[in-house]
Amino acid sequence: MKATKEVALSEIKDDLSWYLRQAETQEIVITRHGKPAGVLIGFESEEDWFEYRLQNDPRFLHRIDQARSSLLAGRGLKLEDIDLE
């Protein structure tokens, strides 16, 4: 889990590029008048960007929920029952 740092919006605006680099290794919570207003998320690689998009894609999350419900209802296959050859 990434560390979290809170930064005022006025500071972010002054040096966004620097904070974006910082966001690659820690979560940056942007505050407005001392209250959380948003989060700056940086990505170290394109793979990190892809994972973020996947984890936040409502279609993917819906499909995962469907698969879990199916398994809980006893529908599905066990991995060891699948013939891969």
Side-chain angles (χ1 to χ4, degrees):
M1 177 181 269
K2 290 183 177 183
T4 302
K5 178 178 183 171
E6 288 191 12
V7 181
L9 177 59
S10 58
E11 290 182 46
I12 294 281
K13 291 192 299 186
D14 291 339
D15 203 353
L16 179 59
S17 180
W18 186 84
Y19 283 105
L20 191 55
R21 284 191 302 277
Q22 296 302 304
E24 291 178 1
T25 59
Q26 64 181 324
E27 188 174 85
I28 306 288
V29 176
I30 302 167
T31 60
R32 187 181 308 131
H33 306 294
K35 297 179 181 175
V39 178
L40 183 61
I41 301 170
F43 305 104
E44 292 185 76
S45 67
E46 285 195 38
E47 185 175 321
D48 289 346
W49 166 234
F50 176 78
E51 285 182 26
Y52 173 83
R53 287 180 38 217
L54 192 59
Q55 291 170 356
N56 292 281
D57 184 323
R59 297 167 301 168
F60 179 71
L61 297 175
H62 178 70
R63 181 64 189 107
I64 294 296
D65 285 341
Q66 286 179 324
R68 285 183 178 144
S69 295
S70 181
L71 289 173
L72 289 173
R75 296 184 307 269
L77 298 172
K78 293 180 182 178
L79 188 57
E80 56 268 9
D81 292 341
I82 298 174
D83 183 15
L84 299 175
E85 292 183 35

